[in-house]
């Protein structure tokens, strides 16, 4: 195969490997080289160049499919809408507007790169069997570093360039209490680490279910345990719930008949366990540990809202903004990009509301339309393992994005959307129960 057709696949793999370490490497290496902003934006410039190269090469080699053409067209319309809304609102702070466009549009850049790479590989798609080793190898290293971080000095990352002045906190704590640390490993924050681990945990669960060799089962169980421990130490309640949702959906898909039989047979036992669990939570609801780790409601008495209250207040403000201006306030006026604005930021604490606030109802509809197209394409390929893992984790990320601006994180977005593009490029499989071995 000509080297040009391999370049897209190599680029996709390179991004899958690099993105989880981007924050750490950019902070650390920029201490010696300078140009922190260049390090931060370099990955996005690289993505844009290889994505455009991939799209052009797919069409030049006549490898494009109807799905690919539609996704390119809708993604281009989504990107163009950002610029149109910006033109309508020229007073937007420029740095925030540019970052808003980058953060929002690179999600589908990952998708098109992954899909184009898969289409260009053609008959050599069997070489993608190494994909699970790459993704799970990287996530295992990230999880291991996260667990180690819990026991290391909390200021250790300051030696690698982390600091509020450089845009990254070196440590996180529940309600800013030093006795309740949260890990984020090499990602930007604990919630991002938790979100990043969801897909690998779902994949490991699928592989463990289908494993037939005892040594392989022990290895996969150990890796899943490591990922689970790192996820727990993030103390991200949203990530905990999303991970349970993804794994639960996967197991329900694989063993739905067995689960129905066991539920009918042992429903009294399950009912008693649920009652005991609810009673236990009710009894512990006012303890310091429970309020710190579970409800995050031990903030200062003078605070207007706790962590849960701010989620609701910000989401409500975002919805009111959409109703007031359904055509959008402009890219970078909400979400993580708005932090750059010296006049003040606006975190909607909900990615979907953020998109609607920035580029209006039409922009939100285009975003949802692309999600629906991708989900339907994965569903048609659910006879193989990777699409099933992506389908299960899709709903977990829907939940996460209802609580955070999660698709704005480069590592989380790159992992799911590149893999989704690669999975869609695979031939349509039958719809029988997928093998997980």
């Amino acid at each position: 195969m000509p080297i040009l057709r391999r370049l897209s696949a190599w680029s996709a793999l390179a991004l899958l490997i690099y993105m989880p370490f981007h924050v750490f490497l950019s902070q650390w290496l920029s201490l010696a080289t300078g140009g922190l902003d260049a390090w931060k934006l370099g990955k996005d410039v690289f993505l844009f160049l290889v994505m455009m190269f991939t799209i052009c090469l797919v069409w030049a080699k006549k490898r494009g499919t109807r799905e690919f053409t539609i996704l390119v067209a809708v993604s281009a319309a989504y990107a163009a809408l950002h610029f149109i809304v910006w033109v309508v609102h020229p007073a937007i702070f420029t740095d925030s507007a540019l970052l808003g466009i980058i953060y929002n549009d690179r999600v589908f850049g990952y998708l098109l790169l992954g899909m184009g790479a898969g289409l260009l590989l053609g008959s050599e798609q069997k070489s993608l069997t190494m994909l699970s080793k790459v993704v799970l190898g990287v996530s295992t290293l990230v999880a291991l570093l996260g667990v180690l971080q819990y026991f290391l000095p909390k200021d250790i990352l300051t030696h690698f360039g982390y600091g509020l002045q450089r845009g990254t906190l070196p440590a996180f704590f529940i309600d800013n209490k030093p006795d309740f640390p949260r890990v984020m490993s090499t990602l930007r924050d604990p919630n991002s680490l938790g979100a990043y681990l969801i897909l690998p945990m779902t994949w490991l669960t699928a592989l463990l279910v289908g494993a037939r060799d005892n040594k392989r089962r022990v290895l996969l169980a150990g890796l899943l345990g490591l990922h689970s421990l790192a996820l727990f130490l993030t103390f991200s309640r949203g990530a905990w719930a999303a991970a349970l949702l993804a794994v639960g959906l996967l197991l329900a898909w694989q063993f739905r008949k067995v689960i129905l039989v066991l539920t009918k047979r042992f429903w009294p036992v399950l009912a008693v366990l649920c009652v005991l669990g609810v009673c236990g939570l009710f009894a512990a609801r006012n303890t310091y540990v429970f309020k710190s780790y579970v409800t995050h409601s031990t903030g200062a008495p003078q605070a207007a809202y706790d962590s849960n209250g701010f989620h609701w207040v910000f989401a409500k403000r975002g919805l009111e903004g959409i109703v007031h201006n359904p055509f959008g306030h402009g890219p970078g006026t909400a979400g993580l990009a708005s932090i750059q604005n010296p006049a003040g930021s606006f975190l909607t604490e909900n990615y979907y509301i953020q998109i609607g606030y920035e580029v209006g109802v039409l922009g939100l509809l285009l975003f949802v339309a692309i999600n629906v197209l991708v989900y339907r394409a994965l569903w048609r390929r659910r006879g193989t393992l990777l699409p099933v893992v992506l389908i299960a984790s899709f709903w977990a990320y829907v939940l996460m994005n209802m609580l955070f601006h999660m698709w704005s994180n480069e590592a989380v977005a790159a992992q799911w959307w590149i893999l989704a593009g690669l999975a869609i490029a695979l031939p349509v499989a039958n719809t029988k129960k997928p093998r997980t071995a």
Side-chain angles (χ1 to χ4, degrees):
M1 176 183 294
I3 190 172
L4 286 180
R5 283 166 56 186
R6 292 181 181 271
L7 185 59
S8 297
W10 291 341
S11 298
L13 287 176
L15 289 171
L16 286 172
I17 294 170
Y18 172 75
M19 284 304 181
F21 306 104
H22 163 70
V23 174
F24 176 79
L25 291 175
S26 61
Q27 294 292 326
W28 183 25
L29 296 177
S30 63
L31 289 177
T33 64
L36 178 59
D37 289 339
W39 277 99
K40 289 180 178 180
L41 293 176
K43 67 186 186 308
D44 299 307
V45 174
F46 175 78
L47 170 63
F48 176 77
L49 293 176
V50 295
M51 178 201 68
M52 294 302 296
F53 167 81
T54 299
I55 293 173
C56 293
L57 191 60
V58 167
W59 286 339
K61 297 294 182 180
K62 297 182 179 180
R63 293 297 187 100
T65 62
R66 183 172 179 270
E67 286 176 326
F68 183 73
T69 302
I70 292 175
L71 286 171
V72 170
V74 181
S75 298
Y78 180 69
L81 181 61
H82 282 71
F83 288 97
I84 293 173
V85 179
W86 188 10
V87 170
V88 176
H89 300 277
I92 299 173
F93 185 63
T94 302
D95 290 355
S96 293
L98 290 173
L99 282 180
I101 292 172
I102 291 172
Y103 287 178
N104 295 347
D105 292 325
R106 70 184 176 192
V107 171
F108 302 128
Y110 294 132
L111 170 70
L112 297 176
L113 171 61
M115 191 173 180
L119 293 172
L120 290 171
L121 284 175
S123 61
E124 292 195 22
Q125 287 174 339
K126 292 181 179 179
S127 63
L128 294 177
T129 54
M130 66 175 289
L131 200 59
S132 63
K133 295 181 180 179
V134 171
V135 173
L136 296 179
V138 171
S139 68
T140 297
L141 179 56
V142 171
L144 178 61
L145 291 174
V147 173
L148 292 175
Q149 183 185 28
Y150 187 79
F151 301 98
L152 292 172
K154 303 313 171 192
D155 64 344
I156 190 170
L157 288 176
T158 58
H159 302 291
F160 296 91
Y162 282 64
L164 184 59
Q165 298 79 5
R166 289 167 58 83
T168 52
L169 292 176
F172 287 82
F173 306 92
I174 298 175
D175 288 336
N176 294 319
K177 292 182 172 61
D179 49 340
F180 293 109
R182 306 175 66 188
V183 303
M184 77 281 201
S185 188
T186 55
L187 276 80
R188 190 172 303 278
D189 57 78
N191 294 321
S192 296
L193 173 60
Y196 173 79
L197 294 173
I198 291 172
L199 189 148
M201 289 179 63
T202 310
W203 205 337
L204 285 167
T205 302
L207 292 172
L208 180 60
V209 166
R212 294 180 173 84
D213 179 78
N214 287 333
K215 291 183 178 179
R216 180 173 172 81
R217 288 195 190 101
V218 171
L219 174 62
L220 291 170
L223 293 177
L224 182 58
L226 176 64
H227 284 69
S228 300
L229 179 57
L231 174 66
F232 174 75
L233 294 177
T234 65
F235 296 106
S236 172
R237 298 163 299 166
W240 291 350
L244 287 175
L245 176 62
V247 172
L249 287 173
L250 177 77
L251 294 177
W253 175 260
Q254 296 286 65
F255 302 109
R256 55 187 178 276
K257 293 183 179 179
V258 175
I259 291 173
L260 287 174
V261 171
L262 292 177
T263 301
K264 290 180 180 179
R265 179 176 299 180
F266 298 106
W267 70 264
V269 177
L270 294 175
V272 170
L273 291 175
C274 289
V275 171
L276 290 175
V278 171
C279 291
L281 292 175
F282 182 79
R285 70 190 187 284
N286 291 321
T287 63
Y288 182 68
V289 172
F290 184 89
K291 292 172 71 175
S292 296
Y293 284 132
V294 179
T295 63
H296 293 194
S297 58
T298 60
Q302 68 272 18
Y305 304 99
D306 60 12
S307 174
N308 307 306
F310 277 116
H311 275 286
W312 166 248
V313 169
F314 290 156
K316 183 180 178 182
R317 283 178 54 193
L319 288 172
E320 290 173 349
I322 296 174
V323 173
H324 182 262
N325 187 358
F327 297 103
H329 297 76
T333 55
L336 299 183
S338 68
I339 296 175
Q340 303 295 322
N341 192 338
S345 61
F346 178 35
L347 300 178
T348 62
E349 300 289 4
N350 182 307
Y351 188 80
Y352 304 103
I353 295 177
Q354 173 204 320
I355 296 301
Y357 187 91
E358 289 184 296
V359 288
V361 175
L362 178 57
L364 180 58
L365 290 175
L366 287 173
F367 177 82
V368 172
I370 298 174
N371 278 261
V372 171
L373 290 171
V374 170
Y375 189 86
R376 288 182 60 189
L378 291 172
W379 184 258
R380 287 195 293 270
R381 293 156 174 82
R382 66 189 183 278
T384 51
L385 177 60
L386 181 56
V388 172
V389 170
L390 290 164
I391 289 170
S393 58
F394 172 86
W395 294 109
Y397 288 122
V398 168
L399 175 60
M400 286 293 288
N401 280 292
M402 293 289 287
L403 302 170
F404 308 101
H405 306 271
M406 204 47 62
W407 283 145
S408 295
N409 182 275
E410 58 277 322
V412 179
Q415 183 187 66
W416 196 89
W417 288 97
I418 289 176
L419 292 176
L422 288 166
I424 292 173
L426 297 173
V428 176
N430 58 56
T431 56
K432 295 180 181 179
K433 182 179 177 179
R435 295 176 60 86
T436 56

